[in-house]
Amino acid sequence: QRTRVRLSDFSAKKAALMSDVGFGWMPKHLVRTELRRGLLREIRTPESVHVFRPRLYVREGRKLGRAGTRLAAALRAPRSSD
């Protein structure tokens, strides 16, 4: 029987991974240093690819301010894949 541990944030999850608690998906930018140093290793499977598609919702009739306009532009910009 498997035991599943759910953690509240990526910081706690990273600490658990570094303590050999198990395995799990992490955003690559949060573990890049550990991967480079060989402290963690990536296991690739067809099911291991996670795609994050952020969305911005605004109430109808409301215009975006300066920060919202910049965020919307950043979300529309093409992203590089790691």
Side-chain angles (χ1 to χ4, degrees):
Q1 182 178 352
R2 289 185 185 177
T3 300
R4 183 174 285 190
V5 177
R6 296 185 186 268
L7 300 166
S8 61
D9 59 38
F10 286 128
S11 178
K13 189 172 185 178
K14 182 177 177 179
L17 292 172
M18 296 300 295
S19 299
D20 291 330
V21 169
F23 62 91
W25 179 83
M26 288 287 293
K28 192 173 272 186
H29 73 277
L30 295 178
V31 293
R32 188 169 280 126
T33 300
E34 290 77 7
L35 290 169
R36 191 172 41 246
R37 292 180 180 167
L39 300 172
L40 292 175
R41 71 182 175 99
E42 184 174 9
I43 301 170
R44 290 181 182 242
T45 67
E47 299 84 26
S48 70
V49 177
H50 291 263
V51 177
F52 176 64
R53 293 185 180 98
R55 296 168 191 229
L56 177 63
Y57 294 95
V58 180
R59 264 187 10 207
E60 192 172 349
R62 307 258 338 228
K63 289 193 173 216
L64 291 175
R66 200 171 2 171
T69 301
R70 285 184 175 180
L71 176 59
L75 292 175
R76 284 189 205 104
R79 293 184 299 275
S80 66
S81 60
D82 274 319

